[in-house]
Amino acid sequence: MGSGASTLTPPSSPEPESPVTVRRHARSSQAVNQNNRHLVRTNEVAPIIIHNCREEFQHVSDFKEPIVFGSIADNMPEHALIKGKYFLVKDIPQKTDRKYEFYRAPNFRKACPNLPVWACGQPTERGLSTILDSLSNEGFTDILLFNLREEPVLFVDSGSDMLPYTIKDRDNLESLVLLGRSPQEADEAEARVRKEVIDLAILNDKNKFYFYGDIENPQKELRELTVQYEDNLLVSEEVYSRHMLCSHSVRFKRLCFPLEASPTDEDIDDFLNVFKECPKFFEKSKSCNPGLLFTCNSGQDRATVGSIMGCLVLAQKYGFPQDLKSQHQSSKKFNSLQKGDYYSVQKLVRIIPNGVHIKNQVDQLIDHCSDYCHLRILIYDLVQKLERIERNGSQKTNDLIDRLFTRCCHLLERYVFLICFNAYLTEQFPQWFSLSFSQWMQRQPGLTRIRGNVGSPDIQVPVDLLFTGQHYLVADEYIGLDVLSTQSDVMVSNFRRINIKGFPIYGMAQPARHGVTKVTNHLLSRKVGHTFLVLINLRNDCSIELDGNTYSIRDSSWLEEPITHPLLHSQELEEKGEEIKKAIKTHRSVEVYHELSEPSEVIEVSSILTPQELALQQKLQTLDMQYYRVPLTHDMRPCEQDFDDISSVICEHCLKNQPINNTAFLFYCRTGKNRTTLAMAIAGLIMCHIQGFPKGANIGEQERVSCPNAQYTKGDFMIVQKLVRLLPKGQQIKREVDFILDEIFETMSPMHFHIREVIFVIYNKIKNAKNDEDKQHLKQQSIDALERYLYLIMFNAYLHHDKKIQWSRSFSEWMKKVAVKIGVYQLLDNLGFYDFEKVPTSFKTMKERWCNRGQNLPFQGSFV
């Protein structure tokens, strides 16, 4: 598409041309039209138009910026642009279905034959009346009308009807303008757009503005219409809401659904509130028999999602359709991915009660509502396209691959949401939605994590990338790692013990084969006195030991950190390590970095061991040891399941074997710092409850702290004190956690890492950050550290509460059934440094903190 351009500027400073050229209109303070004898005077108060020495009207204009003029294509007229960059384009597609002439709405249809749910594209004003009249004749007690559009829509008088137009960006005329607004913000944005259109129209003598019917052929249907008053342009609120006055049975709600991702929890609450307003709806009788209508721009993506949601709600009342076959007839025609069996969906189904049945119900309604958009097939087709382009792609296709991967993630997120939504309905419909969807999701941290991390580009990355220059092996050991100077003693960096007598809890960095042997012999020696060793690997990345040195896999775009796998469990990580081992054995040589400051080199490999094999090899020499893998995410608080996994390891050996000191627990991660310290703290708390807290953990036994900001280095933030007040004996519970953290720090002080004190240390760096990106990163790190500290306090409360039953109930279960009653999830969903910020702006909610926390790596391999 061509475009015309000119810019009204001084000759000395010309502006460069752009695809849709614009010129900035400099309004003079006074202009005279000699032919019509009009005087136009413009000042900062208002333009005043005087005709034949009589003032006709005054219109106040709020324009503060210069008016930008532009043309939509070559040889097309220039005119003022809305907000300096938008055209008004007709919302109705040029190619419409056969029902359009009657209903005046594209793609109008009944979504599911056995359920009273309809969907359509944007209707005209008369079309909406026609559809609602048609539904009224069906005999419904209520008609629930949902507008799922966020983008501004104006209805323009065409004489016999009001036709919908929406704004389109001059730089992207094909796409809708979506800014993530709430329904109230969307209504206000439409009103502002209407006001600006009228303001721009009355600046010329004709009071006209330009409206386009077809962006592919703008000359064909360009209309210059008079828009002098608000009556000439209606906003969505006026077109939709008036039907509630005209008919007592119609109820209307605007919900701003995204084009591809899942709706916000707040929009879902608003959607369900419409049903809660009619209590009789939850009764099995037909005293409340509603019909549902969903509208969006085309009647496809968003309207289809809305209709599936509507069908899921009504199916709880009337039952799921059993005697229908979808247009795809049978799931036997679908392969596993067409059935939606992606990795995140499989995880979701495992943790939802009766998850397979819940998913099948959603799939059934997706099949029934698939006239214009089949969600699972759409995801599958995009995945096939993504993987095909990635296999055959070049550097030029990287942006396309990123866009396709993002679309796949957004659509899969939508599918995962629908399964979660159906799980919510199954539980809450019999209770008349006693919990809102957002409240229910607060209590489902596992679902929140899955919804926010549906696609990980690193789950099925081909190991062959190690030999194509896209991935490299980088040595775990580097200059400066061994802060505690323990390499000379035990051939392992940062080896240490918790500073509590009788507590056999140790930590270290990643060991190689000689280090494992040396440490094992040391701990099982007569001098130290342990008779059994439990070795616990905390890494969630893949490491490999080659000829006595351990390496981790890094992407060429980010060599500083290993490629992590937050979605994989321990056995999957071990299996991935085996794949890497086989690939290296086949090639016999591999390119590695021993130090990132030095060039890489190709090494010949003779001996390869996975982490599990390192332990098994040692076990051949030392039968009295056991290996576990509990993958934790670096620099983030662990999830409830991580606490459960560490607890089960400790309790398995401590509750059965006495005395405790016979068994040594040795934790390690890559550096022996962050994750190792956290795991040692969890183990230390458990052992204190088994053996009793030593001196220093009780009231009045702590050392006085005298330093600047001691309140915050002691962890006495407002949000922490709020949690402490919620817990029985909360101050003592926090005091015990602080005692453990202080004792761990005693033997690792040269590392300058204290789980509690680092919270304020990181937050304090924000004021000296160089740019906004650094500030956001530091704020996220400090919030993560704060959340990790809160979880340790809650875990200690769990240990107190369930001690009498020897923790037969897991921490995860305790959080859902006990801690939820005092509002811990509401607290976690409003996390922030209220001591310094009145209104926390980012990372406040669990979803904001937990979602999309993976590394920003390019997509490679398979989308699973």
Side-chain angles (χ1 to χ4, degrees), residues 583-603:
I584 296 175
K585 275 185 113 175
T586 301
H587 286 77
R588 297 184 180 178
S589 63
V590 65
E591 191 171 0
V592 303
Y593 283 90
H594 289 112
E595 287 285 343
L596 290 177
S597 58
E598 300 174 359
S600 62
E601 62 176 291
V602 177
I603 61 171

Side-chain angles (χ1 to χ4, degrees), residues 612-637:
Q612 190 172 34
E613 289 172 337
L614 274 174
L616 292 176
Q617 186 184 66
Q618 182 61 39
K619 194 171 183 179
L620 294 176
Q621 308 170 36
T622 312
L623 297 177
D624 301 324
M625 70 173 292
Q626 185 69 43
Y627 170 79
Y628 297 89
R629 187 159 193 168
V630 181
L632 302 182
T633 303
H634 174 65
D635 262 351
M636 286 177 61
R637 67 118 193 94

Side-chain angles (χ1 to χ4, degrees), residues 1-7 15-24 68-74 78 81 84-85 87 169-171:
M1 182 187 299
S3 61
S6 65
T7 307
E15 293 185 6
E17 294 188 358
S18 59
V20 178
T21 8
V22 301
R23 63 184 175 86
R24 301 190 179 279
V68 178
F69 281 60
S71 60
I72 199 168
D74 288 334
E78 278 190 350
L81 304 182
K85 58 180 178 178
F87 296 97
D169 195 306
R170 70 186 187 212
D171 297 324

Side-chain angles (χ1 to χ4, degrees), residues 96-108:
T96 54
D97 57 307
R98 55 187 174 81
K99 294 182 181 179
Y100 179 78
E101 287 304 318
F102 180 75
Y103 289 107
R104 306 291 291 170
N107 302 326
F108 176 70

Side-chain angles (χ1 to χ4, degrees), residues 33 55 83 90 102-103 162 182 194-195 204 236 238 245 256 281-282 289 302 309 378 428 451 598 645 660 709 806 829:
N33 186 317
E55 183 174 340
K83 305 296 181 188
K90 188 188 287 187
F102 180 75
Y103 289 107
M162 301 289 285
S182 67
R194 173 171 67 178
K195 183 178 185 306
N204 62 64
S236 298
E238 293 168 325
L245 292 176
C256 294
F281 171 76
F282 297 94
N289 178 32
R302 289 176 285 185
M309 290 169 55
L378 179 58
Q428 286 291 313
R451 282 182 64 190
E598 300 174 359
D645 293 341
I660 288 177
N709 299 305
Q806 290 198 323
D829 218 35

Side-chain angles (χ1 to χ4, degrees), residues 386-387 389-391 393-395 397-406 409 455-462 465 468-472 553-559 561-565 854-863:
L386 169 66
E387 293 179 354
I389 293 175
E390 194 276 330
R391 283 193 302 269
S394 62
Q395 194 70 27
T397 61
N398 286 348
D399 287 344
L400 176 58
I401 291 172
D402 289 343
R403 289 197 300 272
L404 284 173
F405 177 72
T406 300
C409 290
S456 179
D458 48 48
I459 292 180
Q460 281 199 1
V461 175
L465 296 180
T468 61
Q470 291 167 281
H471 287 175
Y472 292 94
I553 299 177
R554 321 276 179 103
D555 190 85
S556 57
S557 64
W558 194 13
L559 289 172
E561 292 291 334
I563 298 173
T564 60
H565 304 279
Q855 296 162 307
N856 187 22
L857 301 177
F859 170 80
Q860 296 160 331
S862 301
F863 186 94

